[in-house]
Amino acid sequence: MALQSAFRERLEHMEVTRNQRLSLLQSEKELQTIKSRDLASKLSNIRSMEQRCLKLDCKIASQHLAISSLESELHRLDSVYAEILQKIRTLKLEVEEMEELEKEKESYYNSQSQELEEFKAEVDSHIGNCQLQIQELRTQANELKSSFSKLQGSLNYSTNSEISQAETKKAELLGEKERLDKILASNYPVRDQLRKQLQNILADQEQKRKP
């Protein structure tokens, strides 16, 4: 009896131990399953993070490429700006040179115009003096003609020497009149030519002043 009781206790103890071990194994199995799930979840998270990192790397590479392209465009624009700036400086120098040349031309034209005006005034004055001299000579010639007519009327009371002197004086006056007529005639084309030159210069200056 005692052996049966001891054996039964031993069996019960073994059964309890087996149940405990089975329970422990079940717990370990469940824990292992949980750990496996956690590990799979972590692996999935790692893969997802790797995918995101890969996408970020691609995005960073794309941004680096865009930055490089923008830097190249900036360098090109800087070069274009420098070239345009140099052209502007060159054009500015050319404009300044042209303005200076225009001032010199204006000064030269003004000087020439003044000289032509002075020369024209001198020519007009000379022509006026010549006309006065011609008028005076004509008056003297008319007076001599009148005197000569009177001398012819009173030939019995005049001497041959007086008649000869009067004729000589008349010839001299007529020669002087002819010379002044030639000078006056030669001055007319010169005056017309100078007037045309002055008009051309003034017209050219007026055209230059127009924008």
Side-chain angles (χ1 to χ4, degrees):
M1 257 338 247
L3 289 173
Q4 290 180 352
S5 178
F7 182 72
R8 189 179 296 114
E9 290 177 358
R10 179 67 178 169
L11 287 175
E12 290 177 357
H13 179 72
M14 289 177 64
E15 184 68 21
V16 171
T17 302
R18 187 179 70 84
N19 290 334
Q20 289 177 349
R21 288 182 178 179
L22 289 173
S23 178
L24 181 61
L25 289 173
Q26 185 65 29
S27 297
E28 289 179 354
K29 185 178 179 180
E30 291 176 356
L31 181 61
Q32 187 68 29
T33 301
I34 293 172
K35 289 182 177 179
S36 297
R37 289 176 181 174
D38 290 339
L39 181 60
S41 177
K42 289 179 179 180
L43 288 174
S44 178
N45 291 333
I46 290 172
R47 291 191 185 97
S48 178
M49 291 177 65
E50 288 177 348
Q51 290 294 326
R52 283 186 291 176
C53 288
L54 183 61
K55 290 180 180 179
L56 287 174
D57 288 339
C58 292
K59 188 175 181 180
I60 290 171
S62 176
Q63 289 179 348
H64 279 305
L65 183 61
I67 291 171
S68 178
S69 177
L70 289 173
E71 288 177 348
S72 298
E73 183 67 14
L74 285 174
H75 288 311
R76 187 187 69 82
L77 291 175
D78 287 339
S79 178
V80 171
Y81 174 76
E83 184 178 356
I84 293 173
L85 185 61
Q86 182 62 34
K87 287 182 180 179
I88 291 174
R89 290 173 179 172
T90 303
L91 288 174
K92 185 178 179 181
L93 290 175
E94 291 178 356
V95 169
E96 290 176 354
E97 290 177 358
M98 291 180 66
E99 288 177 350
E100 188 66 25
L101 182 61
E102 189 67 25
K103 289 179 181 179
E104 292 178 0
K105 285 183 178 180
E106 187 74 17
S107 177
Y108 174 75
Y109 286 143
N110 291 335
S111 176
Q112 291 296 315
S113 298
Q114 185 177 358
E115 291 179 1
L116 286 173
E117 287 291 338
E118 292 175 355
F119 183 70
K120 179 178 176 296
E122 291 178 0
V123 170
D124 291 339
S125 176
H126 181 66
I127 291 173
N129 292 333
C130 290
Q131 289 175 343
L132 289 175
Q133 292 179 9
I134 290 171
Q135 186 64 35
E136 290 176 358
L137 288 174
R138 284 175 180 171
T139 302
Q140 292 177 8
N142 291 330
E143 291 176 354
L144 286 173
K145 286 180 181 179
S146 177
S147 299
F148 185 72
S149 297
K150 291 179 181 180
L151 287 173
Q152 286 181 338
S154 58
L155 193 59
N156 294 328
Y157 301 98
S158 301
T159 62
N160 292 331
S161 61
E162 291 176 349
I163 294 173
S164 177
Q165 290 177 0
E167 290 179 348
T168 302
K169 183 66 173 176
K170 177 183 177 182
E172 290 177 355
L173 291 173
L174 289 174
E176 183 66 19
K177 175 180 176 297
E178 183 179 358
R179 185 181 70 83
L180 291 174
D181 286 337
K182 289 180 180 180
I183 292 173
L184 183 62
S186 64
N187 283 332
Y188 282 126
V190 174
R191 184 178 65 180
D192 293 338
Q193 183 179 2
L194 290 174
R195 183 176 290 123
K196 289 179 180 179
Q197 290 180 355
L198 180 60
Q199 290 175 352
N200 292 333
I201 290 174
L202 293 176
D204 190 23
Q205 288 179 348
E206 185 66 24
Q207 188 68 26
K208 293 287 186 182
R209 291 191 184 98
K210 291 181 180 180

